[in-house]
């Protein structure tokens, strides 16, 4: 009798686990594939676009190269069996590519809204940082992308692991497009420090007020840290992307 009850309990637990797994898979699959209306992309003018400025933004300030590679041919954003296999797509006109398929308006929508042309949300695209990017800077990034040489690089299929699915449900892995209001005021580039802190993602970790202002460590030390990625003791800061001087 005890054995029967034990087997029954194990069976119930197994059933609950199976139903839970099906629920997690179904909900997260729908979440990843969800398409939203959002606003259409803007076809920006290119009269004031600068490829040099676009290169600076892509390679350094806006850290695009961290996901799409320095040659724009695509690279891993995440590479974990438990979390996800997520590839930053090829932006050139090579194959496979979005560069040959996207219009300038499509690129603008992806950059500032975090949405594909069909409305599907871009996972881990930092568009909340880019939402206030000026028209000239977006145009410059697009001009730099358009001028890039074609790169041929195989892209792995997207895969979301069990930990990634649980993180998605918990809101620890998500879509910036859900957090961007319809009307976003453009931040003037004249306020250079605040503007670069926003589009460079500094505020994600340090907040609007920051944790260690330049006045607390000295302007020279703070400048050296930004340019080298090392603190006053010479210790390298993890995942720091040192900006180029420009």
């Amino acid at each position: 009798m005890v054995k029967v009850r034990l087997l029954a309990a194990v069976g119930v637990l197994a059933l609950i686990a199976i139903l839970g797994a099906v629920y997690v898979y179904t909900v997260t699959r729908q979440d990843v594939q969800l398409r939203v209306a959002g606003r259409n992309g803007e076809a920006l003018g290119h009269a004031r676009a600068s490829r040099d400025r676009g290169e600076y933004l892509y390679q350094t300030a806006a850290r695009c190269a961290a996901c799409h590679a320095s040659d724009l041919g695509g690279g891993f954003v995440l590479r974990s069996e438990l979390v996800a296999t997520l590839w930053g797509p090829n932006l050139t006109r090579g194959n496979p590519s979005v560069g040959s398929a996207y219009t300038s308006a499509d690129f603008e929508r992806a950059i500032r809204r975090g949405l594909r042309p069909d409305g599907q949300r871009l996972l881990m695209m930092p568009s909340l940082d880019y939402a206030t990017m000026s028209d000239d800077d977006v145009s410059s990034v697009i001009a730099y992308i358009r001028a890039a040489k074609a790169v041929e690089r195989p892209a792995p299929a997207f895969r979301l692991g069990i930990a990634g699915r649980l993180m998605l449900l918990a809101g620890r892995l998500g879509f910036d497009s859900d957090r961007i209001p319809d009307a976003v005021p453009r931040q003037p580039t004249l306020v250079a420090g605040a503007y670069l802190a926003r589009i460079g993602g500094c505020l994600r970790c340090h907040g609007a007020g920051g944790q260690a202002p330049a006045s607390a460590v000295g302007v020279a030390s703070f400048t050296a840290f930004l340019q080298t990625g090392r603190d006053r003791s010479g210790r390298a800061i993890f995942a720091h992307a040192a900006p180029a001087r420009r």
Side-chain angles (χ1 to χ4, degrees):
M1 191 65 163
V2 174
K3 195 175 193 178
V4 172
R5 289 179 179 175
L6 181 59
L7 289 174
V10 171
V12 170
L13 291 174
L15 180 61
I16 292 174
I18 292 171
L19 292 176
V22 170
Y23 170 79
V24 169
Y25 177 82
T26 302
V27 171
T28 52
R29 183 172 182 271
Q30 292 173 344
D31 200 21
V32 168
Q33 295 180 344
L34 178 67
R35 287 171 171 77
V36 298
R39 70 157 175 76
N40 294 326
E42 296 181 42
L44 304 174
H46 296 289
R48 299 177 60 181
S50 163
R51 290 183 187 176
D52 287 343
R53 175 70 176 176
E55 179 182 11
Y56 165 66
L57 291 166
Y58 180 92
Q59 299 290 351
T60 304
R63 70 207 185 282
C64 309
C67 296
H68 297 282
S70 59
D71 63 0
L72 292 76
F76 283 103
V77 180
L78 285 173
R79 192 177 188 181
S80 167
E81 289 292 327
L82 287 176
V83 181
T85 298
L86 180 60
W87 181 262
N90 187 343
L91 300 180
T92 74
R93 297 182 184 276
N95 183 44
S97 165
V98 300
S100 57
Y102 274 38
T103 65
S104 293
D106 292 336
F107 271 121
E108 187 279 332
R109 193 184 195 207
I111 293 169
R112 292 201 291 207
R113 307 304 298 188
L115 297 171
R116 290 190 175 97
D118 63 359
Q120 188 172 355
R121 299 170 302 167
L122 293 166
L123 184 63
M124 292 191 68
M125 174 68 178
S127 294
L128 187 63
D129 301 334
Y130 304 153
T132 58
M133 188 180 286
S134 69
D135 289 351
D136 288 348
D137 277 354
V138 173
S139 294
S140 294
V141 172
I142 295 172
Y144 177 65
I145 291 172
R146 293 294 193 205
K149 294 181 180 180
V151 175
E152 306 291 334
R153 181 170 298 146
F158 170 70
R159 178 185 175 279
L160 195 59
I162 182 60
R165 293 182 185 279
L166 293 174
M167 290 170 67
L168 195 61
L169 284 178
R172 303 296 296 177
L173 189 66
F175 305 90
D176 272 14
S177 57
D178 294 343
R179 304 165 60 192
I180 301 172
D182 289 336
V184 180
R186 301 288 173 251
Q187 189 169 357
T189 56
L190 293 178
V191 190
Y195 178 75
L196 290 177
R198 166 63 68 187
I199 68 172
C202 306
L203 302 187
R204 285 185 182 255
C205 297
H206 298 284
Q211 300 271 331
S215 58
V217 298
V219 174
S221 295
F222 191 70
T223 301
F225 161 72
L226 290 178
Q227 293 176 341
T228 66
R230 294 182 179 275
D231 63 17
R232 284 179 290 182
S233 67
R235 180 174 61 91
I237 304 302
F238 177 72
H240 179 276
R245 300 185 189 188
R246 182 162 303 203

